[in-house]
Amino acid sequence: MSETASAATASGKTPVDFWFDPLCPWAWMTSRWVLEVEKLRDIEVRWHVMSLAVLNENKLDQLSEEYREMLATKAWGPVRVVTAAWQKHGQDVLGPLYTALGTRFHNRGEGPTREAIAAALKDAGLPADLVDYADQEDFEFEAELRASHKEGIDKVGQEVGTPVIALPGADGEQIAFFGPVVTPAPQGEQAARLWDGTIAVASIPGFYEIKRTRTAGPDFSNL
């Protein structure tokens, strides 16, 4: 049985599996929301890697030149470092490293530079030499990165992005969604209400989508 198929964590809490690319600002805000929910509801977040670069590699001709350039120059480094940290130091480092990277990339506006990645590794108490994986084109842990990405994306289909979250549905089997996409990250009772709504739609076997056009960009002001 896959780890992400288990009905409860070792602590007895409800598992919420969360796939992220550290580069994505929308995933970052969703991740801060779900950590707020972890304080308010009986859940435990389990972190997994996915990749915007992998997600888009077969549809580059459909993307803007600006987005293609971003994928080529910025998307691979951070996710390689996160994957290497996971493979060399275990899954428990994913949450703290993601927090350190996201705080620097998004909240502080440092962006996915080598300097920001190195500083985040230090913040998370991880070895400094992990930053070298950012530039490793023949990536040592390519198969593991792609397998983790595939596990998440197979739960929701190809026409989505990051994040992907998976939680128990009405029959106990996991149900997964892209999102929720929200800005700024809800806090307190607002966070709990959004979670309760997410649980509610997950309980409907035929539910697939609610969506509206985004009219605001990422807002990190409350993080």
Side-chain angles (χ1 to χ4, degrees):
M1 178 183 290
S2 167
E3 178 189 357
T4 58
S6 60
T9 66
S11 64
K13 296 183 177 182
T14 299
V16 178
D17 290 292
F18 192 109
W19 280 262
F20 69 92
D21 184 316
L23 188 64
C24 179
W26 298 101
W28 172 244
M29 283 182 292
T30 305
S31 75
R32 299 312 94 180
W33 160 70
V34 82
L35 284 178
E36 181 78 358
V37 174
E38 199 175 42
K39 304 172 188 175
L40 303 166
R41 296 292 187 264
D42 198 29
I43 70 168
E44 184 173 317
V45 183
R46 304 187 297 196
W47 303 101
H48 308 273
V49 179
M50 66 181 295
S51 167
L52 288 170
V54 173
L55 182 68
N56 289 287
E57 63 185 355
N58 293 322
K59 49 187 176 183
L60 293 176
D61 59 340
Q62 303 170 32
L63 306 175
S64 68
E65 182 178 350
E66 180 181 12
Y67 198 77
R68 289 197 302 270
E69 177 70 12
M70 183 278 294
L71 292 175
T73 61
K74 298 179 180 179
W76 283 109
V79 78
R80 284 172 176 157
V81 171
V82 171
T83 303
W86 159 43
Q87 289 299 302
K88 294 173 76 73
H89 300 282
Q91 191 166 20
D92 287 348
V93 307
L94 285 175
L97 180 54
Y98 183 27
T99 290
L101 288 166
T103 298
R104 289 186 173 276
F105 289 3
H106 307 301
N107 295 5
R108 299 184 188 177
E110 296 177 19
T113 64
R114 184 181 177 90
E115 292 76 15
I117 295 171
L121 288 167
K122 182 177 180 180
D123 294 341
L126 288 165
D129 60 1
L130 285 169
V131 74
D132 294 334
Y133 285 97
D135 303 316
Q136 190 182 80
E137 292 188 11
D138 187 15
F139 182 44
E140 180 178 346
F141 302 111
E142 180 86 11
E144 290 81 359
L145 167 58
R146 289 181 178 274
S148 180
H149 175 91
K150 184 177 187 300
E151 183 179 15
I153 210 70
D154 279 355
K155 294 177 181 292
V156 290
Q158 291 293 325
E159 299 306 314
V160 299
T162 174
V164 170
I165 63 170
L167 57 151
D171 58 2
E173 293 295 318
Q174 276 198 326
I175 186 166
F177 297 108
F178 160 55
V181 176
V182 61
T183 186
Q187 297 179 340
E189 184 55 31
Q190 190 179 57
R193 287 201 307 272
L194 179 56
W195 176 254
D196 294 342
T198 303
I199 291 292
V201 298
S203 72
I204 307 300
F207 174 81
Y208 290 100
E209 184 175 10
I210 294 176
K211 189 172 183 179
R212 63 175 178 165
T213 299
R214 299 179 202 173
T215 57
D219 179 355
F220 311 120
S221 61
N222 67 340
L223 298 178

